Every structure is written in C-alpha cells, then in structure tokens.
C-alpha cells in the first residue's frame, strides 16, 4: 500500500477515535512511524488530508447509490441503501459527528459538501418519484408534504450518528436501526400496493427493529 493511502487510512482511524480537532498531523505520522515531513509532503495541511478522505468517501457512497439502480422493487433498493449508509456512517464516523466543525473551518471541503448535498437531494427525490409512479404512495393531503418528508429523512440520515451520541439512553434501550426509523416515517403514507411492496422486504428480514 502506498504511503499516501496509508496516511488516509490512519487519519480516518484517528479521527474516528478522537475527533478531527483532537488529532494533529504529527499524531498521524507517529502512529504510522513515518516522519512528519514525509506526511506533509503528501498532505501539507489538514484540509488537504480531509479533501482526500472526502473524495474517497464520495467514491464509496456513489457506488452504493448506483447499485440496484434498475431494481424491480425500488423499496428493496432504497432499503439496501439505508442499510449500507448506516455502515458507511460507521466507517467514516468522524465526518458525521464533526460535520459542522469541518464545514466551518475548511472552506474547500465545505464547498464539496454543499455540492454533494445537492446531488444527494436529487437522488433522494428520484426514489420518491419512482415510489409515486408505481402507486406506492397516497396523494398529498397537504401541498409540499412529501418534499418536507424527504427533507426530514435527509436530516435523519445526516445526523443519525450525532443523535446516537447525545441520546445514548434511548439507543441502549431500543437498539434501533436507521432504516427502521426511516420506514416508520414512510409507512403511514403508503397505499395498499405500497404496503404489499414493503411487506416483501420485511419478509426477507432485511428490516430489523
């Protein structure tokens, strides 16, 4: 493995364990048993390192969105996405817990984040369009309701790990999965056809409360 990738991997481990603000480039170099100068040759500052990590993250998660793009049952694809997103959040834990800190202090990373959020918004909207086309959702009872529902789910996905940190008691008692909470928001809006499609997922035990 090349030194550059080793640095990225160790940075992710260190940031996940201690948080972005509590880890210096010297800490990472020490953990890898390389010189600080060697690390700075590849990444002259923390933002350069975070940019490299973010590009790796973007590549990983984009693949998750592409998988199953033409699935016969879009509910199944959506559920698989939610499960993989939760694992992805564990792999890059620090980015989810420190997203506000990163966004405020590293403008280049923040700019990429904003672009990615817009892409994810469009991808999420695509799912809802498919659900509607297939007759899985009831008609809106309040104008704009489903747009707000999509936004609520994006908030939940983005800050899922953060709420686990600040609400540990509920986490310990319920041991909930992110996908369970998302489906709890969606099921009240399903038509009979949508409920049938949803049941095909629950019968395969891919949704576990």
């Amino acid at each position: 493995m090349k030194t550059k990738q080793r640095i990225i991997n160790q940075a992710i481990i260190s940031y996940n364990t201690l948080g972005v603000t509590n880890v210096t480039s010297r800490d990472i170099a020490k953990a890898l048993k390389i010189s600080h100068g060697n690390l700075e040759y590849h990444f002259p500052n923390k933002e350069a390192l975070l940019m490299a990590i973010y590009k790796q993250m973007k590549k990983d998660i984009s693949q998750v969105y592409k998988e199953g793009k033409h699935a016969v049952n879009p509910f199944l694809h959506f559920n698989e996405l939610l499960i993989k997103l939760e694992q992805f959040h564990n792999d890059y834990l620090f980015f989810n817990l420190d997203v506000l800190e990163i966004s405020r202090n590293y403008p280049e990373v923040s700019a990429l984040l904003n672009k990615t959020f817009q892409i994810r918004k469009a991808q999420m909207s695509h799912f809802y369009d498919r659900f509607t086309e297939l007759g899985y959702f009831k008609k809106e009872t309040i104008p704009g309701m489903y747009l707000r529902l999509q936004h609520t789910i994006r908030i939940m996905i983005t800050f899922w790990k953060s709420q686990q940190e600040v609400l540990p008691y509920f986490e310990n008692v319920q041991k909930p999965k992110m996908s369970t909470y998302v489906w709890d928001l969606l099921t009240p809006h399903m038509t009979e056809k949508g409920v049938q499609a949803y049941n095909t997922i629950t019968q395969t035990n891919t949704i576990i409360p």
Side-chain angles (χ1 to χ4, degrees), residues 40-108:
E40 287 198 322
Y41 170 78
H42 295 284
F43 302 105
N45 53 54
K46 185 175 282 188
E47 181 156 34
L49 181 51
L50 286 171
M51 286 285 285
I53 293 172
Y54 188 74
K55 288 177 181 178
Q56 177 174 298
M57 288 172 56
K58 186 177 178 182
K59 181 179 178 182
D60 290 348
I61 199 61
S62 292
Q63 184 59 37
V64 171
Y65 274 92
K66 288 178 183 177
E67 291 173 1
K69 188 175 181 180
H70 302 292
V72 176
N73 184 350
F75 272 7
L76 182 60
H77 178 205
F78 185 66
N79 188 63
E80 290 172 348
L81 172 65
L82 293 174
I83 292 170
K84 290 177 180 178
L85 275 174
E86 188 162 5
Q87 181 56 52
F88 177 81
H89 288 176
N90 289 330
D91 294 341
Y92 296 97
L93 178 63
F94 79 93
F95 227 103
N96 292 279
L97 296 182
D98 300 337
V99 64
L100 186 57
E101 185 76 21
I102 291 169
S103 182
R104 283 176 170 174
N105 291 286
Y106 304 100
E108 289 185 43

Side-chain angles (χ1 to χ4, degrees), residues 25 80 85 118 126 156 167 178:
S25 56
E80 290 172 348
L85 275 174
Q118 292 304 313
H126 173 73
M156 180 182 292
L167 301 171
M178 183 177 74

Side-chain angles (χ1 to χ4, degrees), residues 3-16 18-20 22-36 39-40 43 45-46 49-50 53:
T3 301
K4 196 167 188 176
Q5 188 61 49
R6 288 180 62 221
I7 294 170
I8 290 172
N9 292 350
Q10 181 58 51
I12 293 170
I13 293 170
S14 297
Y15 293 159
N16 280 349
L18 300 171
V20 170
N22 298 318
V23 177
T24 67
S25 56
R26 292 186 184 278
D27 294 329
I28 297 170
K30 183 178 180 180
L32 289 171
K33 297 181 180 179
I34 63 174
S35 70
H36 184 241
L39 186 147
E40 287 198 322
F43 302 105
N45 53 54
K46 185 175 282 188
L49 181 51
L50 286 171
I53 293 172

